[in-house]
């Protein structure tokens, strides 16, 4: 290492001599320094690290094309001494030395490396990275950091790349097998123990480069094959605690793919001998066909673990598994014949992937492969049979993901069998029976779970029925029903997948799908089966029919020529479905109990009616006579699921029958709907559904339904008269009556015709009085004096403008007369004048008021008859009656001639409710009186005067309770307390009386004094109302409050002197 000539020799061309001289002079001091540091008995780690850092930095900046083999050997000399002491040096020094070696391999030895040098580097790097296998102390492999191992693996990678480029056969030599085997073992160990992602990836890359490209001898590669495959499969980390990154899994699958193809490929199998006879060399593995079969059997076991990655959450890994399976099916069909089933199963699983592009690619691959041989078809059919048999077992488990996976696989496999013309009636029957057994197992197991994990029932949504069809769905689609077969939220997706599978089964063959549905419908109609079995059969039949009808509609879309009719089988099946649904619903109408099993049957029957209506469309209107009331009846079911299904079914039937909304459907069929409810009430059917159904109908149809309810109102009051001791029943019936009144107050057209501008609430408001000024008072006194003074002279009549004097009114008509009067005698008028004076003409007849519409009469009857229940023992019922009267006042007040007699009848009992023991009844009574005052006006003035002492008592008691509560610091709820609500209702009642009723001045003054300026300041609505009718009194009360406040501030304080508070 003394001079340049010793290294390069005298043959160096002059053109590059100067450049090499410069590079050598730059590297020489670094190499000399490194040699001095390492060639000592005890190297200093700090100095050695510094020397290696300088050398590595210099090599990084050297142009790579200027480093040749001789210069590389010169630099490697001190590095080789570093590697000899790798067990004693620290990791940083070894890592820097490996990085310098990596640069040399990539530059100086890139295209040409001596076989002996390659062998030495292979052994050296293997020991540096993995340690000496004969020594078990901790200073070996375990002490090396992952960064050092990473640098060593990169050196090996570039070394193998250089060997491949140089075309050398150093690795393939027989004597190198132990060294290569040691390297493979070290790489596997390093990969399995590594935590660093980059180290794992580089180790796999080195292994691939070594076994696939560097080792060209197929027998030598086959000798490493079992150990490598076994080690990589163990390193997959499919357990819960040993998870590999998805990047590593992807590379592992690709490495295994290339390795298996290179060893078990069909192109190698044909060239193998049938036996091992004649093979002399026993130290080296010689492949034969028996060896290939044995290896393939072991490989199948490994494939079962590798292919579990087909359900990995990362798309990259699933794609790698798909390519792995496809390549093995294409290139290893002979050797891996026994693994065909599992490989095809993997392709089917990937065909149901969530990624559409990958799923389409897998499906197309199966189609192409199936056309090339029967083996793939048989494998697809075998997968389908196995999944059908195992479906009940999987469905009874708790793994919902596994259930969805197996259902998806069934759908994909069945679809492929359809495309490949492999389906049969037996296969369809097997699949339908397997689904039924699975559902029975699922529903049986779901009944044992606790209610904490059951799905929350969806509350009924009346807005779906009240809204217009175009608002609910812009595309006019039929609304979907929520799932009722299972109650757990986690099972909803599973059932949705099961529905899709059944629909695809029905679409496979319209005739066979209809036959299957018919068989399950007949099973559902047999009373010998349990409720669960019948419900399962109905559910399967409905979904089979959906698929069959979808296929039929698809054919109609392509052949819409007006001549295609519904098949006889389809018509018979739909008739059986309609009869079964109506039978179950009719039975449920008679049965008041609503268990979970019965609720499931009822929901499925409603779904069936919706499907029939969707199929028959406008022709289903003829069936509404039998089908409509059972549907509306279930709007009052005690089960929220049944109510929700009834709402969706009613809405879907309205769509199917081409109604704009469910409201129009009910209004068009309101006659027999009302008759059905009336029949129940007339026979004193006290089931709770009838009132609820009627209430729902009123909310849906609105005021247009009220004129049809006159007989029904009579029946309701008959039941109330006979069963008034049943509080719950009476409350339900009064809810219906209240809904009738409330819907009537929405101003139907009949009610609007009798309204006039003078009868509105604004016309009854008192006009505001102004404060009398001085001039106005003087003028008022003058007019009053002139009117009261007696007159001594008669009043002079003013002369007329025409004649100047008064004339007697004419006794005969002016003019000559026209028509028949010309023929009368001249003295006819004089002769008959006496008769005219004696018999004056009668006054013109008064115009009879129009008869109130039927809606008005019904509300009037309800209001008049409801007063008798204001003395009922249930305070809730009394509250509902008062609320009914409040709503009725707005409707009845439009016709005073009919309304005022009603007020005269109900006033005593309404007034008496002001003194009820229940605060809620008192509040509602105040609101009812406010509504009556607003609608009747001055008609109440006398009654208010007579009962003023009661009004005063109610207000004073309410105000006293409120002040008492306010003085208490604890348990004071403020405006949310019951005392405040009672006082607030009393104040609002006084405001209504002042605004709309002509109260006498004494009563107004007493209200002002009773409330006082403090309450008026707190309630501006009361002050505004009182200022309108009595501003002087209000001013006096407010002024008195302000003066008392000012006087309180100015009262002096002296010892032994007491100042009196002035009062006004």
């Amino acid at each position: 290492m003394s001079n340049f000539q010793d290294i390069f020799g005298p043959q160096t061309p002059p053109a590059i001599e100067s450049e090499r001289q410069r590079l050598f002079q730059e590297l020489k001091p670094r190499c000399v320094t490194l040699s001095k540091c390492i060639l000592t008995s005890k190297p200093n780690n700090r100095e050695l690290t510094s020397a290696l850092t300088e050398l590595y930095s210099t090599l990084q900046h050297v142009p790579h094309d200027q480093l040749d083999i001789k210069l590389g050997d010169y630099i490697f000399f001190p590095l080789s001494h570093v590697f000899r002491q790798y067990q004693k040096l620290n990791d940083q020094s070894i890592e820097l030395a490996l990085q310098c070696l990596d640069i040399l391999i990539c530059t100086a030895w890139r295209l040409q490396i001596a076989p002996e040098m390659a062998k030495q580097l292979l052994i050296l790097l293997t020991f540096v990275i993995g340690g000496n296998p004969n020594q078990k102390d901790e200073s070996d492999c375990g002490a090396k950091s992952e960064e050092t191992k990473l640098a060593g693996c990169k050196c090996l990678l570039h070394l193998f790349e250089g060997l491949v480029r140089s075309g050398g056969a150093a690795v393939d030599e027989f004597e190198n097998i132990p060294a290569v085997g040691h390297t493979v073992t070290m790489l596997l160990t390093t990969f399995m123990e590594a935590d660093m992602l980059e180290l794992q990836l580089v180790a796999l890359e080195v292994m691939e480069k070594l076994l696939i490209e560097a080792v060209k001898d197929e027998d030598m590669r086959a000798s490493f094959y079992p150990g490598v495959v076994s080690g990589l499969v163990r390193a997959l980390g499919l357990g819960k605690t040993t998870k590999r990154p998805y990047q590593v899994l992807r590379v592992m699958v690709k490495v295994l793919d290339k390795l298996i193809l290179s060893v078990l490929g069909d192109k190698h199998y044909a060239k193998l001998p049938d036996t091992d006879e004649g093979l002399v060399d026993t130290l080296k593995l010689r492949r034969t066909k028996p060896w290939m079969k044995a290896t393939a059997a072991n490989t199948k076991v490994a494939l079962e673990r590798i292919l579990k990655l087909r359900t990995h959450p990362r798309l990259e890994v699933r794609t790698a598994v798909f390519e792995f399976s496809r390549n093995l099916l294409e290139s290893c069909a002979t050797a891996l014949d026994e693994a065909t089933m599992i490989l095809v199963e993997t392709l089917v699983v990937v065909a149901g992937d969530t990624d559409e592009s990958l799923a389409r690619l897998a499906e197309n691959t199966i189609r192409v492969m199936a056309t090339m041989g029967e083996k793939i078809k048989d494998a697809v059919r075998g997968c389908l049979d196995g999944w059908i048999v195992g479906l009940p077992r999987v469905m009874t488990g708790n793994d919902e993901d596994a259930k969805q996976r197996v259902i998806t696989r069934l759908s994909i496999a069945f679809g492929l069998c359809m495309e490949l013309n492999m389906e049969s009636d037996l296969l369809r029957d097997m699949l339908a029976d397997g689904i039924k057994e699975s559902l029975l197992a699922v529903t049986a197991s779901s009944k044992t779970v606790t209610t904490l994990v059951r799905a929350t029932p969806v509350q009924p949504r009346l807005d779906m029925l009240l809204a217009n069809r175009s608002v609910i769905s812009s595309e006019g689609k039929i609304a979907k029903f929520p799932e009722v077969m299972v109650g757990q939220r986690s099972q909803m997706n599973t059932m949705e997948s099961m529905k899709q599978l059944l629909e695809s089964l029905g679409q496979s063959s319209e005739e066979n799908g209809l036959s299957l549905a018919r068989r399950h419908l007949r099973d559902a109609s047999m009373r010998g089966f349990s409720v669960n079995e019948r419900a399962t059969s109905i559910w399967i039949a409905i979904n089979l029919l959906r698929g069959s009808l979808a296929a039929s509609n698809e054919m109609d879309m392509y052949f819409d020529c007006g001549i295609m009719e519904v098949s006889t089988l389809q018509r018979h099946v739909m008739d059986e479905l309609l009869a079964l649904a109506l039978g179950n619903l009719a039975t449920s109408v008679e049965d008041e109990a609503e268990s979970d099993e019965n609720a499931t049957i009822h929901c499925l029957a409603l779904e069936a009616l919706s499907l029939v209506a969707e199929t028959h469309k406008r022709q289903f209107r003829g069936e509404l006579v039998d089908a409509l009331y059972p549907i509306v009846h279930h709007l009052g079911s005690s089960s929220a699921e049944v109510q929700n299904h009834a709402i969706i079914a009613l809405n879907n039937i309205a769509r199917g029958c081409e109604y704009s909304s469910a409201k129009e459907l009910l209004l068009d069929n309101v006659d027999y709907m009302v008759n059905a409810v009336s029949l129940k009430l007339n026979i004193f059917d006290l089931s709770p559904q009838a009132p609820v159904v009627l209430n729902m109908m009123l909310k849906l149809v609105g005021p247009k339904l009220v004129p049809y309810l006159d007989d029904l109102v009579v029946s309701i009051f008959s039941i109330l008269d006979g069963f008034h001791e049943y509080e719950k029943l009476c409350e339900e019936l009064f809810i219906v009556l209240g809904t009738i009144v409330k819907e009537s107050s929405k101003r139907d057209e009949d009610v609007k015709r009798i309204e006039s501008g003078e009868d509105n609430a604004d016309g009854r408001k008192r006009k505001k009085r102004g404060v009398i000024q001085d001039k106005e008072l003087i003028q008022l006194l003058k007019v009053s004096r002139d009117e009261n003074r007696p007159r001594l002279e008669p009043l002079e009549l003013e002369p007329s403008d025409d004649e100047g004097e008064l004339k007697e009114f004419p006794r005969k008509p002016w003019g000559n007369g026209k028509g028949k009067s010309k023929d009368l005698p001249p003295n006819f008028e004089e002769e008959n004048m006496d008769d005219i004076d004696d018999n004056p003409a009668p006054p013109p007849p008064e115009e009879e008021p129009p008869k109130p519409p039927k809606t008005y009469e019904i509300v009037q009857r309800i209001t008049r008859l409801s007063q008798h229940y204001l003395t009922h023992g249930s305070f809730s019922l009394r509250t509902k009656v008062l609320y009914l009267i409040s709503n009725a006042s707005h409707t009845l007040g439009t016709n005073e001639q009919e309304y005022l007699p009603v007020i005269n009848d109900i006033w005593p009992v309404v007034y008496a409710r002001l003194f009820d023991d229940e605060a809620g009844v008192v509040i509602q009574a105040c609101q009812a009186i406010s509504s009556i005052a607003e609608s009747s006006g001055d008609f109440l003035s006398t009654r208010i005067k007579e009962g003023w002492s009661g009004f005063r008592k109610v207000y004073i008691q309410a105000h006293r309770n409120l002040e008492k509560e306010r003085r208490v610091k604890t348990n004071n709820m403020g405006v949310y307390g019951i005392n405040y609500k009672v006082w607030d209702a009393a104040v609002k009642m006084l405001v209504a009386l002042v605004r709309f009723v002509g109260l006498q001045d004494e009563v107004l003054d007493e209200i002002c004094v009773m409330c006082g300026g403090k309450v008026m300041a707190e309630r501006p609505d009361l002050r505004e109302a009182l200022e309108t009718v009595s501003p002087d009194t209000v001013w006096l009360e407010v002024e008195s409050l302000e003066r008392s406040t000012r006087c309180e501030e100015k009262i002096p304080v002296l010892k032994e002197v007491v100042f009196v508070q002035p009062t006004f």
Side-chain angles (χ1 to χ4, degrees):
M1 297 179 64
S2 59
N3 54 41
F4 179 78
Q5 296 295 332
D6 295 337
I7 302 295
F8 298 103
Q11 295 83 12
T12 305
I16 61 173
E17 183 177 356
S18 61
E19 185 65 26
R20 288 191 174 183
Q21 181 68 27
R22 185 194 63 80
L23 181 60
F24 175 73
Q25 294 300 330
E26 184 179 359
L27 290 173
K28 181 179 178 180
R30 275 82 175 170
C31 294
V32 171
T33 304
L34 179 60
S35 299
K36 290 180 180 181
C37 292
I38 194 62
L39 294 175
T40 60
S41 59
K42 293 183 179 180
N44 189 332
N45 286 326
R46 179 176 299 179
E47 295 177 357
L48 180 61
T49 303
S50 177
L52 287 170
T53 303
E54 291 182 4
L55 178 60
Y56 176 63
S57 177
T58 303
L59 290 175
Q60 280 183 316
H61 296 88
V62 170
H64 291 176
D65 56 349
Q66 296 181 8
L67 288 174
D68 56 8
I69 298 177
K70 293 183 178 181
L71 190 57
D73 293 340
Y74 176 77
I75 299 172
F76 182 69
F77 175 76
L79 293 176
S80 62
H81 291 282
V82 174
F83 292 129
R84 287 178 183 176
Q85 302 185 36
Y86 75 93
Q87 296 179 351
K88 301 178 182 179
L89 300 179
N90 57 11
D91 288 348
Q92 187 177 4
S93 300
I94 300 299
E95 181 182 355
L96 288 170
L98 289 171
Q99 289 174 349
C100 294
L101 178 61
D102 188 23
I103 294 177
L104 295 179
I105 295 174
C106 294
T107 56
W109 303 327
R110 181 174 181 271
L111 298 176
Q112 223 174 9
I113 186 170
E116 189 64 27
M117 182 69 173
K119 179 180 178 181
Q120 291 178 3
L121 287 177
L122 177 64
I123 297 173
L124 172 66
L125 292 173
T126 302
F127 275 84
V128 170
I129 298 172
N132 190 350
N134 297 324
Q135 296 180 2
K136 303 299 182 181
D137 57 317
E138 296 181 357
S139 63
D140 260 351
C141 179
K144 294 294 179 290
S145 65
E146 293 193 350
E147 288 79 6
T148 304
K149 295 180 181 180
L150 177 61
C153 288
K154 288 182 178 180
C155 290
L156 280 176
L157 176 62
H158 297 146
L159 175 63
F160 295 142
E161 289 177 352
L163 288 175
V164 173
R165 282 192 296 267
S166 61
V171 181
D172 290 340
E173 296 178 359
F174 176 73
E175 58 271 11
N176 293 335
I177 292 179
V180 175
H182 184 199
T183 303
V184 172
T185 304
M186 178 274 298
L187 290 173
L188 283 173
T189 305
T190 302
F191 169 73
M192 288 188 290
E193 295 177 353
D195 294 329
M196 184 187 300
L197 174 62
E198 187 178 2
L199 177 57
Q200 297 180 40
L201 294 175
V202 173
L204 289 173
E205 192 175 357
V206 174
M207 200 179 307
E208 177 185 355
K209 187 67 67 174
L210 171 62
L211 296 177
I212 306 301
E213 299 183 20
V215 177
K216 297 180 181 180
D217 188 348
E218 296 177 358
D219 290 338
M220 183 177 179
R221 184 186 302 130
S223 64
F224 299 133
Y225 174 82
V228 173
V229 173
S230 176
L232 289 179
V233 170
R234 287 199 309 271
L236 280 176
L238 297 178
K240 295 182 179 180
T241 58
T242 55
K243 295 292 184 181
R244 292 283 178 184
Y246 73 92
Q247 300 94 330
V248 176
L249 293 176
R250 174 177 172 272
V251 176
M252 288 178 68
V253 174
K254 288 185 175 296
V255 171
L256 288 169
D257 183 11
K258 295 179 180 180
L259 183 60
I260 295 175
L261 290 178
S262 63
V263 175
L264 301 180
D266 292 341
K267 61 181 181 180
H268 307 293
Y269 184 82
K271 298 182 295 183
L272 297 180
D274 295 335
T275 60
D276 54 356
E277 296 179 359
L279 300 178
V280 181
D281 191 2
T282 57
L283 297 178
K284 186 178 180 181
L285 175 65
R286 299 295 181 183
R287 294 174 301 153
T288 59
K289 290 182 179 180
W291 176 89
M292 186 77 78
K293 291 183 180 180
T295 305
N298 295 328
T299 304
K300 180 185 176 183
V301 178
L303 289 178
E304 292 178 355
R305 297 200 60 185
I306 298 171
L307 295 179
K308 290 181 180 180
L309 295 173
R310 62 196 179 188
T311 58
H312 195 274
R314 297 292 302 194
L315 176 63
E316 295 86 349
V317 178
R318 300 197 302 272
T319 304
V321 172
F322 160 71
E323 295 174 352
F324 174 73
S325 303
R326 180 189 60 188
N327 295 337
L328 294 186
L329 283 174
E330 291 176 351
S331 304
C332 301
T334 305
L336 296 177
D337 181 62
E338 297 180 358
T340 302
M341 178 73 71
I342 188 173
L343 292 173
V344 172
E345 179 181 337
T346 301
L347 292 182
V348 175
V349 171
V350 177
D353 195 86
T354 54
D355 185 74
E356 295 182 0
S357 60
L358 179 60
R360 279 197 303 270
L361 183 60
E363 285 189 23
N364 294 332
T365 302
I366 297 175
R367 294 190 188 99
V368 172
M369 290 184 174
T371 58
M372 298 171 60
E374 295 294 329
K375 185 183 297 184
I376 304 298
K377 289 184 179 181
D378 296 339
V380 173
R381 177 61 188 270
C383 293
L384 180 60
D385 293 341
W387 287 330
I388 292 175
V389 173
L391 181 62
R393 176 184 55 81
V394 176
M395 296 297 288
T396 54
N398 295 325
D399 190 355
E400 295 300 323
D401 294 335
K403 297 178 184 178
Q404 295 183 36
R405 286 197 297 267
V406 72
I407 294 173
T408 303
R409 294 168 189 174
L410 280 171
S411 302
I412 298 296
F414 185 76
L416 290 171
C417 288
M418 288 172 52
E419 294 183 11
L420 300 174
N421 297 322
M422 293 189 299
E423 82 278 12
S424 61
D425 296 343
L426 178 62
L427 179 62
R428 296 189 186 94
D429 293 343
M430 280 181 57
L431 183 56
D433 293 339
I435 292 174
K436 183 176 180 180
E437 293 177 6
S438 304
L439 285 175
L440 289 174
V442 170
T443 52
S445 62
S446 64
K447 297 182 184 304
T448 60
V449 299
T450 60
T451 57
L452 294 178
V453 297
R454 295 183 67 84
T456 304
V458 181
Q459 294 299 324
R461 294 183 55 194
L462 285 179
D463 55 346
M464 293 182 61
L465 297 175
L466 295 174
N468 190 279
R469 181 173 62 186
S470 60
V471 178
I472 302 173
S473 177
S474 58
E475 301 179 0
K477 294 182 179 179
I478 299 297
K480 290 185 177 181
F481 290 91
E483 187 55 55
V484 295
M485 288 299 295
V486 293
Q488 300 181 32
R489 292 188 298 269
S490 59
Q491 294 178 333
M492 295 303 173
N493 293 332
T494 303
M495 299 306 296
E496 197 65 31
S497 302
M498 190 75 77
K499 281 184 179 180
Q500 296 176 2
L501 176 59
L502 285 171
E503 290 178 7
S504 63
L505 180 60
Q507 291 176 359
S508 62
S509 172
E510 181 182 357
E511 182 177 358
N512 189 266
L514 292 173
S515 301
L516 282 175
R518 191 174 191 177
R519 193 188 78 183
H520 284 283
L521 285 176
R522 291 180 177 178
D523 291 343
S525 61
M526 298 180 65
R527 298 299 177 183
F529 291 155
S530 64
V531 178
N532 190 17
E533 293 176 341
R534 288 164 50 205
T536 303
S537 298
I538 296 176
W539 188 83
I540 293 175
I542 290 174
N543 289 283
L544 285 171
L545 284 173
R546 288 189 193 279
S548 178
L549 294 174
S552 176
N553 294 336
E554 197 172 316
M555 292 294 295
D556 294 343
M557 182 177 64
Y558 288 107
F559 300 98
D560 190 7
C561 53
I563 60 175
M564 298 192 68
E565 297 181 356
V566 179
S567 63
T568 305
L569 179 60
Q570 180 179 342
R571 186 167 55 253
H572 289 169
V573 173
M574 298 307 293
D575 291 342
E576 289 186 16
L577 180 63
L578 177 62
L580 179 63
L582 291 178
N584 287 324
L585 290 178
T587 304
S588 65
V589 168
E590 299 173 0
D591 188 11
E592 296 183 7
E594 191 75 84
S595 62
D596 291 340
E597 294 181 346
N598 291 334
T600 304
I601 288 284
H602 302 161
C603 291
L604 293 174
L606 292 169
E607 288 188 34
L609 285 180
S610 176
L611 180 61
V612 175
E614 179 186 352
T615 305
H616 290 171
K617 298 189 182 300
R618 195 178 181 87
Q619 298 177 358
F620 190 75
R621 291 191 176 189
E623 305 292 340
L624 291 176
V625 179
D626 299 324
L628 189 55
Y629 178 76
I631 297 174
V632 180
H633 175 86
H634 284 84
L635 293 174
S637 174
S638 59
S639 172
E641 290 87 352
V642 177
Q643 290 185 30
N644 201 28
H645 266 67
I647 291 175
I648 298 176
L650 194 60
N651 189 47
N652 289 347
I653 290 174
R655 293 173 186 272
C657 295
E658 300 180 2
Y659 287 102
S660 61
S661 63
K663 182 186 296 186
E664 183 183 351
L665 166 67
L666 292 176
L667 190 60
D668 192 32
N669 302 275
V670 71
D671 47 356
Y672 53 85
M673 285 293 298
V674 174
N675 289 337
V677 179
S678 298
L679 285 174
K680 283 186 166 293
L681 295 179
N682 288 336
I683 63 175
F684 295 103
D685 184 359
L686 305 182
S687 61
Q689 280 82 6
V692 176
V693 168
L694 187 57
N695 195 22
M696 293 282 187
M697 288 172 56
L698 284 165
K699 290 181 179 180
L700 294 176
V701 181
K704 294 182 180 180
L705 180 63
V706 177
Y708 300 94
L709 303 180
D710 48 352
D711 295 335
L712 195 140
V713 169
V714 176
S715 301
I716 289 177
F717 278 104
S718 299
I719 294 177
L720 287 172
D721 188 29
F723 300 93
H724 56 270
E725 66 272 12
Y726 296 96
E727 295 183 5
K728 188 65 177 178
L729 174 64
C730 293
E731 290 178 6
E732 292 292 337
L733 294 176
F734 264 102
I735 289 176
V736 176
L737 296 175
T739 305
I740 294 175
V741 173
K742 185 176 181 180
E743 293 297 327
S744 302
S745 64
K746 292 181 178 179
R747 295 297 186 264
D748 190 12
E749 294 297 328
D750 295 335
V751 180
K752 287 181 178 179
R753 288 185 308 193
I754 63 173
E755 293 185 1
S756 60
E758 299 177 357
D759 293 331
N760 54 21
D762 294 335
R764 296 192 183 93
K765 286 186 178 180
R766 305 289 104 184
K767 293 183 179 180
K768 185 174 182 179
R769 297 183 191 174
V771 179
I772 300 178
Q773 304 296 330
D774 297 342
K775 295 181 180 179
E776 296 177 355
L777 180 59
I778 293 172
Q779 185 64 25
L780 178 62
L781 293 176
K782 285 182 178 181
V783 173
S784 177
R785 182 191 63 182
D786 293 341
E787 290 178 352
N788 296 330
R789 184 179 61 186
R791 297 189 178 273
L792 301 178
E793 68 280 356
L795 294 174
E796 296 181 357
L797 297 176
E798 297 181 0
S800 63
D801 296 337
D802 296 336
E803 302 179 359
E805 58 182 3
L806 295 176
K807 291 185 177 181
E808 189 179 4
F809 66 89
R811 296 289 183 175
K812 60 182 179 178
W814 289 283
N816 296 327
K818 297 180 182 180
K820 296 181 180 181
S821 61
K822 296 180 180 180
D823 301 332
L824 296 177
N827 58 351
F828 175 79
E829 295 179 0
E830 297 178 359
E831 293 176 356
N832 293 285
M833 191 61 63
D834 297 335
D835 297 336
I836 293 175
D837 294 337
D838 296 338
N839 299 317
E846 295 183 1
E847 238 184 276
E848 295 184 1
K851 186 179 180 181
K854 185 171 289 187
T855 300
Y856 190 96
E857 292 179 353
I858 292 175
V859 177
Q860 185 183 30
R861 183 185 305 169
I862 292 174
T863 307
R864 197 185 295 274
L865 294 176
S866 298
Q867 62 169 323
H868 304 294
Y869 298 91
L870 283 174
T871 57
H872 197 276
S874 172
F875 79 93
S876 177
L877 181 62
R878 298 197 301 272
T879 304
K880 288 181 173 59
V881 175
L882 290 170
Y883 181 72
L884 183 149
I885 292 174
S886 300
N887 290 332
S889 300
H890 300 292
T891 303
L892 299 178
T894 56
N895 189 343
E896 286 191 352
Q897 189 174 358
E898 298 289 337
Y899 176 53
L900 297 182
V902 177
I903 296 299
N904 185 63
D905 292 341
I906 67 174
W907 175 257
V909 287
V910 175
Y911 173 75
R913 290 304 99 206
L914 288 174
F915 314 104
D916 200 281
D917 296 334
E918 295 290 339
V921 179
V922 176
I923 294 173
Q924 199 61 52
C926 293
Q927 295 177 1
I929 292 175
S930 300
S931 301
I932 293 173
E934 181 179 353
S935 57
S936 61
D938 294 340
F939 181 75
L940 288 182
S941 59
T942 305
R943 290 165 177 77
I944 298 300
K945 181 181 179 181
E946 293 175 354
W948 173 244
S949 59
F951 287 104
R952 178 184 177 87
K953 179 181 177 182
V954 170
Y955 176 81
I956 292 175
Q957 184 65 34
H959 189 262
R960 186 179 300 163
N961 293 337
L962 178 62
E963 291 297 326
K964 183 178 179 181
E965 182 182 349
R966 286 177 174 176
R967 286 193 297 267
V968 179
K969 300 299 182 182
T970 59
N971 298 328
N972 186 0
M973 299 180 64
V975 295
Y976 302 102
I978 189 64
N979 292 325
Y980 179 85
K981 292 182 178 180
V982 174
W983 176 77
D984 179 68
V987 171
K988 290 180 179 179
M989 177 182 65
L990 293 178
V991 171
L993 295 178
V994 172
R995 283 182 177 175
F996 302 106
V997 181
L999 301 179
Q1000 296 183 357
D1001 293 340
E1002 294 82 358
V1003 176
L1004 292 173
D1005 294 342
E1006 194 166 353
I1007 292 176
C1008 293
V1009 174
M1010 177 179 65
C1011 296
K1014 185 177 180 181
V1015 175
M1016 292 182 192
E1018 183 178 355
R1019 296 300 297 263
D1021 54 343
L1022 177 62
R1023 179 173 178 175
E1024 181 183 355
L1026 289 173
E1027 283 180 344
T1028 304
V1029 294
S1030 183
D1032 298 335
T1033 311
V1034 174
W1035 175 85
L1036 182 60
E1037 288 296 328
V1038 174
E1039 186 67 18
S1040 300
L1041 178 64
E1042 292 178 355
R1043 289 190 178 184
S1044 62
T1045 305
R1046 290 196 297 266
C1047 291
E1048 287 179 0
E1049 295 176 357
K1050 296 180 181 179
I1051 293 179
V1053 178
L1054 294 176
K1055 286 186 177 181
E1056 300 181 357
V1057 177
V1058 178
F1059 293 91
V1060 179
Q1061 173 71 38
T1063 57
F1064 298 91

